[in-house]
Amino acid sequence: MSLADWPVPPPFMWACEQCAELLWLFEPAYTADDADPGRDHAARLQVTLSRHVADEHPAEVPEPHNDDCPLCERYGREADPRDEKLWAEHRARGLFLPAAAARLM
């Protein structure tokens, strides 16, 4: 994935101390290749960051994807309240990850 595929995180994420810290820690993932052992750490950081956004910035979580996203379709169809947080985390990943990576979880 080239750097051009990565979105620029929105201003609210840079204004939040915890978001900004996680973004800076996550920065090496922007240039890591598949063989980089740090990719596991990057995966944990993206889960932590998406969970933080869903918990602390719920108004900033994007609306469900309406362009054939299989996860959004499943979450919307099942409408299980236990999955609401996971769905919000899924949508939040698109704020800082390319769609191809953000929609994997």
Side-chain angles (χ1 to χ4, degrees):
M1 237 177 283
S2 81
L3 194 54
D5 296 327
W6 291 76
V8 175
F12 85 87
M13 293 183 80
W14 296 110
C16 170
E17 188 175 320
Q18 188 170 356
C19 282
E21 181 179 340
L22 290 166
L23 285 168
W24 284 116
L25 290 171
F26 190 65
E27 186 270 333
Y30 283 77
T31 56
D33 63 17
D34 291 339
D36 190 328
R39 289 183 67 80
D40 286 343
H41 180 64
R44 286 190 297 277
L45 282 171
Q46 66 97 1
V47 168
T48 301
L49 182 52
S50 64
R51 186 167 294 152
H52 168 76
V53 170
D55 290 344
E56 301 299 323
H57 309 287
E60 302 294 344
V61 173
E63 293 296 316
H65 306 113
N66 58 6
D67 58 350
D68 297 326
C69 173
L71 285 174
C72 279
E73 287 178 20
R74 183 178 62 82
Y75 283 129
R77 185 175 54 251
E78 293 176 8
D80 187 335
R82 296 172 295 182
D83 289 339
E84 288 297 317
K85 183 175 176 187
L86 291 174
W87 193 9
E89 291 173 17
H90 164 74
R91 297 186 327 260
R93 285 181 184 88
L95 296 171
F96 60 91
L97 287 171
R103 295 188 184 186
L104 293 175
M105 297 173 38

